[in-house]
Amino acid sequence: MGKRSLVVALVLMLTLSTAGTALANLQINGAGASFPFPIYSRWFDEYRQIDPAVQINYQSIGSGGGISQITARTVDFGATDGPMTDEALAELDRKLLHIPTVIGAVSVVYNIPGVDSGLKLTGDILADIYLGEITNWNDARIAEINSDIVLPHLSIAVARRSDGSGTTFTFSDYLSSVSETWKNRVGAGNALRWPVGLGAKGNEGVAGLVRQLPGAIGYVEQAYAEQNNLSQAALQNKAGNYIMPSLEGASLAAAGVDMPSDFRVSIVNAAGEQAYPIATFTWLLVYENAFDEAVGGKLAEFLLWAVTEGAPYAEELHYAPLPAEVAEMVKDTLKQLHFNGTPFLQ
Amino acid sequence: MMQQLHKGHLGRDSSPGAQGEHKQDKRMLAATIQDRAFKHISLLAALAVLALVVVIVYQLTTNAWEAISRYRLGFVLSSVWDPVFHDYGALPFVFGTVVSSLLALLIAVPLSLGVAIFLSEIATAKLRRPIIFLVEVLASIPSVIYGLWGIFVLVPLVRQSQPFFQRWFGFLPIFQGPPFGYSLLAAAIILAIMIIPTITSLSRDALAAVPNHQREASYALGASHWETIKNVVLPYNKSGIIAAVMLGLGRALGETMAVTMVIGNMPQISASLFMPAQTMASLIANEFGEAVSPLHVSALMEIGLLLFLVTLLINVLAKFLTTRTKHKGVQK
Amino acid sequence: MNKRRKLTDKLMTILPILSVLITILPLISISVYLVYKGVQYLNVQFLTELPKPVGQPGGGMANSIVGSGIVVGLAGLIGVPIAVLAGIYLAEYGRKTKLAAVVRFFADVLQGVPSIVIGIVAYAVVVIPMGSFSAVAGAAALAMMLIPFLTRTTEEALLTVPQDVKEAGLALGQPQWRVVLGIVLRSARGPIMTGVMLGIARIAGETAPLLFTALNNRFWHNGLNGPISTLTVQIYNYAISPFTDWNGQAWSGALVLVLLVTGLNILVRTLARSRYSERS
């Protein structure tokens, strides 16, 4: 060891640190929701073949993180599945757009040894579990609607998000719409004052926790439930039917929606006969007037690809593509994206 | 000695005109300038250490100001942490931090002292080396790896052991609650493992500072090996051992990753060891990247400031204790 | 000695032995799991490829391994010169001044600052003004952790250099700075390098300061002013994920990290020890 080896080490570090630069012409950085992470990471991977000059690096840090980091402009785009509030949008000095990408269902997942499938829940029961009123799987109210399965005497371990999450927003938005007590005591938001529960980071963390922990119940985007073979509960919808989370159920939830021009809309507890009650659009957050011309242009191109040719990948991963009329609205909106007045798309 | 050298050298530099020759004069002048420059550069580097403190304190305070001025003392007394209705209090996190760290000490201190006593009083030189080595290895394992091990090994272990505790000691509130595994206890055990090396090596130093004649005197009075350890060796350097424990505590309070991964992240104050909790550090790790409202960010910064001040205080106290020990060592 | 005392003596000396065994138990468990689980996903692909999209099997951590090297290397580039110079000031120039005492004090105390606090400060000082998460921000955070430790190590190393070595240099009429750099620093380079390596090993294992500074990257980093993947953050993300593949890769990443960090640590300590024993 000595001066020479130190010099060698430093040179090596410098070489390494410049090594990556040659690989991509442009790297776009985004962060936010973990809800659409499976489809986004698939899209960004596929898109490298479409446009090799661009790499889109997406970090799944939670919707709250997506909103706060795009607000602080530390990333090029954000992602969320709980729309931003009017006040938060008004505080920005440039217009930030919500671009819907896909629709997803929030699955209620559970880990009850001996019960691999068939659990049914109502919104009321779910709310009371998350309020800490129902604490055991053999509770009479759960048994009443699940006469066909035998539920063990086992403590319910409530799993929920520890980070600010759009999945949490959707879930608590749903609970607020079905339970007055929940609405008044907890409310809806990206992060909550939880009455009970174990906190885990990201959809990944909640799914991991439920998989690890006998007696656990949790809520995750459907793709996480499918990929990890977690048991999913059927939920009673507004029409009174018990519906399993599915791509079709999520699509049907979005079917009747009256889409506003800024795309910020909630589709929980939808009215359709077969609609799944906890579904949501998920949005990318981009500034209408881009801060960087190259980044803004490539992002616009990507988004156009995502809502058109990207749609089939969504179905593969259990997300529902946008309804045709919404996709048309998105295409029109994408034409508004510009850099100091010059639009990116014709 | 060094001091004199400095003076002598600088003295020569300050009177270059005394030397006759012009060339030498110039060289001396150049040397003086270079000397001054180098001294100032190194001074600047030293000041950078202080600047670091200033930057940390300034950034934390200014960024936390909104929360500080809004809640004042109420911040640490309120147990509400509600990002929906924008109300923030630190009590559950202070509780989680303090309790998990104290529990960790409860486990780690006896073990560390045991290891330290073994190393300095019992082990042969041959045995000593490999054990010191193993303790050093334990210290060098990154925190995230303790967390990984915690999730897949320790947490299931805690979960499986809980029914046993509940059956035999279930009447005690500290063992009640459903078996999650992710809990204060899991965090405390991980922390204990992580601080054992710190406390061990520092208290071993403290024990090593005990002069041999003290031990010999004790044996001469007919004391047994254990009596000598208990009555002579341990009390001789109490402040050194306390300092070791405090540094261990300081490390436990600020530990982030491993704790975040096993504690369950639930801001609640519960009597049970088996219930999830949350610490100040794990709260920041979970929420800082995504806090949207300025008050939320500011509240997290204040948590950071509190954590900084508490660990600072503990380290300062530990430092005073060790300097006292050193002086004591010199006198004897 | 009566029987009871003898018995107590025996019993009480067993306790320390027991503590040693209990202390070593988790180390054994961790090592066994690291090796057993770590090798399952450790292959060429793991060391040379980028991560795959969520849920798809395969892929590796090549970018994270290189990324860790870069961030830690950069932190060294920032931290080592400052720390060594500060150490020189404390040992050679400041010595007994009030300023040196204050610097020494804070350098000691700073070593106890929780790394997550350093992380959020670096976010406020580097990430926000730069407008991006970046390798540089991560390196700055790690450098903040390295400097206090290394300053003190350097100072202590310099103080071990015998007086006559310095005097000899000064007597030859050399200016003081050349004596310090050429003679004092050179004779203390062994312990200083040991300090540098130990410091590097220490920051290489850090995760918390990187969460809000370096962030992470699915790809190779694109320049030093953008997000970069690091081994520790990647292990954390994979560890808490539900995907069996990622859990497995987290163990492999952990094995690589431990081999690098703990390996460096052991190597340095063994070298340092053999050097001391040679001298004594």
Side-chain angles (χ1 to χ4, degrees):
Chain A
M1 271 193 284
K3 244 187 216 161
R4 193 167 301 164
S5 57
L6 191 66
V7 172
V8 171
L10 292 185
V11 170
L12 199 70
M13 289 299 164
L14 280 176
T15 328
L16 280 175
S17 58
T18 46
T21 324
L23 290 166
N25 300 334
L26 184 67
Q27 197 165 61
I28 299 176
N29 294 297
S34 59
F35 182 96
F37 183 35
I39 176 66
Y40 286 178
S41 71
R42 182 67 186 278
W43 271 349
F44 298 141
D45 207 55
E46 294 294 335
Y47 196 64
R48 278 173 76 199
Q49 267 107 63
I50 311 284
D51 188 350
V54 188
Q55 279 179 348
I56 306 178
N57 168 38
Y58 181 74
Q59 290 304 313
S60 153
I61 61 171
S63 291
I67 294 171
S68 72
Q69 298 311 326
I70 189 68
T71 306
R73 282 188 224 148
T74 54
V75 289
D76 301 315
F77 66 92
T80 180
D81 19 68
M84 289 174 71
T85 57
D86 293 335
E87 301 89 71
L89 285 172
E91 270 171 32
L92 299 170
D93 44 7
R94 282 197 188 186
K95 193 173 172 193
L96 190 65
L97 299 180
H98 286 64
I99 309 287
T101 50
V102 288
I103 301 160
V106 176
S107 293
V108 172
V109 292
Y110 58 91
N111 178 347
I112 310 174
V115 183
D116 293 335
S117 63
L119 183 72
K120 291 192 288 259
L121 292 172
T122 65
D124 248 0
I125 291 176
L126 193 58
D128 280 350
I129 289 175
Y130 271 83
L131 283 167
E133 309 275 341
I134 297 177
T135 56
N136 201 298
W137 282 112
N138 67 2
D139 190 278
R141 286 171 63 198
I142 305 179
E144 198 187 320
I145 55 168
N146 286 288
S147 48
D148 47 336
I149 50 177
V150 181
L151 289 158
H153 172 80
L154 178 66
S155 299
I156 301 179
V158 169
R160 45 89 184 167
R161 295 285 288 274
S162 63
D163 52 339
S165 146
T167 316
T168 298
F169 177 85
T170 310
F171 184 70
S172 55
D173 190 19
Y174 167 69
L175 292 183
S176 295
S177 74
V178 293
S179 159
E180 276 299 311
T181 325
W182 181 275
K183 192 174 174 180
N184 297 329
R185 268 182 59 190
V186 187
N190 281 338
L192 304 174
R193 183 184 165 195
W194 293 94
V196 289
L198 290 155
K201 203 164 160 54
N203 268 295
E204 301 90 329
V206 173
L209 202 62
V210 172
R211 216 177 62 141
Q212 281 258 320
L213 187 57
I217 186 169
Y219 58 94
V220 293
E221 205 289 321
Q222 198 197 343
Y224 289 88
E226 301 283 347
Q227 282 174 340
N228 295 289
N229 295 319
L230 296 172
S231 308
Q232 304 174 52
L235 288 180
Q236 191 180 41
N237 68 7
K238 212 173 187 174
N241 299 319
Y242 287 98
I243 308 291
M244 284 297 285
S246 72
L247 202 156
E248 296 77 25
S251 283
L252 288 171
V257 75
D258 189 14
M259 182 58 88
S261 64
D262 66 357
F263 299 108
R264 290 183 299 150
V265 68
S266 159
I267 55 170
V268 298
N269 209 19
E273 279 288 315
Q274 297 298 316
Y276 182 73
I278 326 181
T280 183
F281 284 97
T282 183
W283 298 271
L284 276 195
L285 302 170
V286 290
Y287 285 104
E288 188 181 51
N289 180 6
F291 284 96
D292 184 294
E293 188 172 6
V295 169
K298 290 294 182 188
L299 257 183
E301 287 172 20
F302 163 76
L303 281 166
L304 187 64
W305 174 86
V307 297
T308 52
E309 284 147 79
Y313 298 108
E315 295 188 21
E316 251 175 66
L317 291 165
H318 308 280
Y319 294 88
L322 301 176
E325 66 278 11
V326 177
E328 283 310 312
M329 280 175 75
V330 169
K331 280 187 216 161
D332 285 338
T333 307
L334 291 179
K335 285 177 192 152
Q336 293 166 26
L337 295 177
H338 64 91
F339 178 71
N340 294 340
T342 323
F344 295 120
L345 302 172
Q346 295 314 310
Chain B
M1 184 61 173
M2 193 58 202
Q3 212 60 356
Q4 283 173 353
L5 267 177
H6 277 300
K7 272 187 199 140
H9 185 59
L10 289 177
R12 223 165 3 142
D13 282 346
S14 56
S15 55
Q19 315 288 336
E21 242 182 293
H22 196 62
K23 251 188 193 168
Q24 180 129 12
D25 220 43
K26 251 190 178 168
R27 206 182 299 154
M28 291 301 281
L29 191 67
T32 314
I33 291 170
Q34 289 164 347
D35 246 357
R36 287 241 173 95
F38 184 70
K39 185 181 170 181
H40 282 113
I41 290 170
S42 75
L43 173 67
L44 226 58
L47 288 176
V49 176
L50 294 186
L52 214 58
V53 182
V54 175
V55 167
I56 293 174
V57 173
Y58 175 81
Q59 284 295 338
L60 290 176
T61 317
T62 50
N63 282 303
W65 197 249
E66 194 176 333
I68 295 174
S69 56
R70 175 155 171 176
Y71 295 116
R72 297 178 192 278
L73 257 181
F75 189 68
V76 285
L77 299 175
S78 158
S79 60
V80 176
W81 184 266
D82 191 338
V84 179
F85 297 105
H86 303 296
D87 197 7
Y88 302 97
L91 194 59
F93 314 108
V94 173
F95 170 86
T97 307
V98 170
V99 172
S100 62
S101 298
L102 290 182
L103 280 174
L105 283 189
L106 212 61
I107 303 168
V109 169
L111 287 175
S112 309
L113 284 184
V115 178
I117 289 171
F118 179 80
L119 289 173
S120 84
E121 309 297 317
I122 296 172
T124 55
K126 245 187 190 169
L127 251 177
R128 197 173 296 153
R129 264 213 168 160
I131 290 173
I132 292 176
F133 172 77
L134 290 178
V135 172
E136 279 172 1
V137 172
L138 206 58
S140 77
I141 296 174
S143 148
V144 69
I145 291 176
Y146 278 108
L148 180 70
W149 178 79
I151 290 180
F152 293 100
V153 183
L154 181 64
V155 165
L157 217 63
V158 170
R159 181 160 62 235
Q160 285 151 18
S161 74
Q162 193 184 352
F164 166 80
F165 283 103
Q166 227 159 8
R167 181 178 310 158
W168 299 104
F169 309 102
F171 57 93
L172 292 171
I174 55 167
F175 295 123
Q176 284 165 6
F180 295 141
Y182 293 90
S183 56
L184 260 180
L185 183 64
I189 293 174
I190 283 262
L191 283 175
I193 300 171
M194 296 178 75
I195 61 176
I196 282 176
T198 313
I199 305 180
T200 300
S201 71
L202 289 169
S203 39
R204 192 170 69 89
D205 290 348
L207 295 184
V210 180
N212 253 331
H213 60 76
Q214 292 278 337
R215 294 184 184 90
E216 282 150 18
S218 170
Y219 289 134
L221 289 171
S224 72
H225 198 171
W226 168 248
E227 285 160 350
T228 306
I229 293 171
K230 189 180 74 174
N231 300 326
V232 179
V233 178
L234 284 178
Y236 185 86
N237 207 343
K238 233 191 263 161
S239 57
I241 291 171
I242 294 174
V245 172
M246 294 196 72
L247 284 173
L249 176 64
R251 180 150 184 225
L253 290 172
E255 176 49 44
T256 313
M257 297 319 292
V259 173
T260 306
M261 292 161 89
V262 302
I263 199 167
N265 298 316
M266 175 74 200
Q268 67 183 2
I269 298 174
S270 154
S272 174
L273 294 178
F274 288 100
M275 287 299 269
Q278 190 156 21
T279 67
M280 296 156 87
S282 72
L283 173 77
I284 300 174
N286 268 308
E287 294 191 3
F288 184 77
E290 73 203 17
V292 185
S293 80
L295 187 61
H296 193 179
V297 176
S298 168
L300 288 170
M301 281 286 187
E302 188 171 351
I303 297 261
L305 181 65
L306 286 175
L307 193 56
F308 173 75
L309 291 178
V310 170
T311 46
L312 197 74
L313 186 71
I314 285 175
N315 280 284
V316 169
L317 286 176
K319 196 170 151 52
F320 279 127
L321 283 172
T322 33
T323 30
R324 228 176 66 192
T325 321
K326 267 183 198 149
H327 286 310
K328 199 169 159 186
V330 170
Q331 280 161 10
K332 301 265 154 136
Chain C
M1 264 191 268
N2 63 33
K3 264 189 181 163
R4 226 186 102 196
R5 278 182 63 207
K6 252 187 184 164
L7 196 68
T8 328
D9 197 54
K10 275 258 167 65
L11 272 177
M12 294 318 267
T13 35
I14 290 174
L15 282 184
I17 298 172
L18 212 64
S19 333
V20 173
L21 294 178
I22 296 175
T23 303
I24 291 173
L25 210 65
L27 181 62
I28 294 171
S29 171
I30 293 173
S31 316
V32 168
Y33 270 91
L34 268 179
V35 174
Y36 169 67
K37 295 233 178 188
V39 294
Q40 290 177 17
Y41 283 82
L42 194 63
N43 48 31
V44 178
Q45 196 185 32
F46 179 83
L47 296 171
T48 55
E49 281 187 16
L50 289 173
K52 279 273 194 297
V54 187
Q56 286 183 26
M61 287 195 184
N63 58 339
S64 315
I65 297 169
V66 173
S68 271
I70 290 166
V71 173
V72 171
L74 262 181
L77 277 182
I78 304 169
V80 172
I82 296 179
V84 169
L85 281 168
I88 288 174
Y89 179 81
L90 293 184
E92 300 295 326
Y93 295 104
R95 266 280 164 116
K96 299 213 163 132
T97 59
K98 274 236 174 74
L99 177 70
V102 173
V103 171
R104 219 169 271 138
F105 176 82
F106 279 109
D108 279 345
V109 168
L110 272 179
Q111 290 177 48
V113 174
S115 56
I116 187 79
V117 172
I118 301 278
I120 58 176
V121 169
Y123 176 85
V125 181
V126 189
V127 176
I128 290 288
M130 266 181 74
S132 174
F133 296 97
S134 64
V136 175
L142 293 186
M144 285 191 213
M145 306 198 64
L146 180 65
I147 290 171
F149 165 78
L150 198 53
T151 299
R152 293 290 275 146
T153 323
T154 308
E155 184 197 2
E156 274 155 27
L158 293 177
L159 289 179
T160 60
V161 177
Q163 290 296 327
D164 45 1
V165 175
K166 294 177 202 171
E167 281 164 38
L170 291 176
L172 286 172
Q174 286 201 41
Q176 193 177 356
W177 70 277
R178 297 189 76 159
V179 175
V180 169
L181 279 184
I183 300 174
V184 181
L185 200 59
R186 176 169 288 200
S187 19
R189 71 171 185 267
I192 291 178
M193 279 308 284
T194 306
V196 170
M197 291 301 157
L198 287 182
I200 293 282
R202 200 158 120 175
I203 58 173
E206 283 292 345
T207 317
L210 300 175
L211 289 175
F212 312 124
T213 51
L215 197 67
N216 199 353
N217 199 326
R218 242 255 310 123
F219 302 100
W220 293 102
H221 63 291
N222 196 6
L224 297 179
N225 52 0
I228 189 167
S229 184
T230 52
L231 202 45
T232 46
V233 173
Q234 192 74 332
I235 292 171
Y236 172 59
N237 284 341
Y238 278 19
I240 61 170
S241 85
F243 310 109
T244 319
D245 247 48
W246 281 10
N247 289 165
Q249 290 194 7
W251 282 103
S252 300
L255 183 59
V256 172
L257 182 67
V258 163
L259 288 180
L260 292 175
V261 169
T262 311
L264 184 63
N265 222 298
I266 293 171
L267 184 79
V268 171
R269 284 184 198 274
T270 325
L271 283 178
R273 209 166 282 146
S274 62
R275 192 172 300 197
Y276 291 139
S277 50
E278 265 167 43
R279 270 188 201 155
S280 61

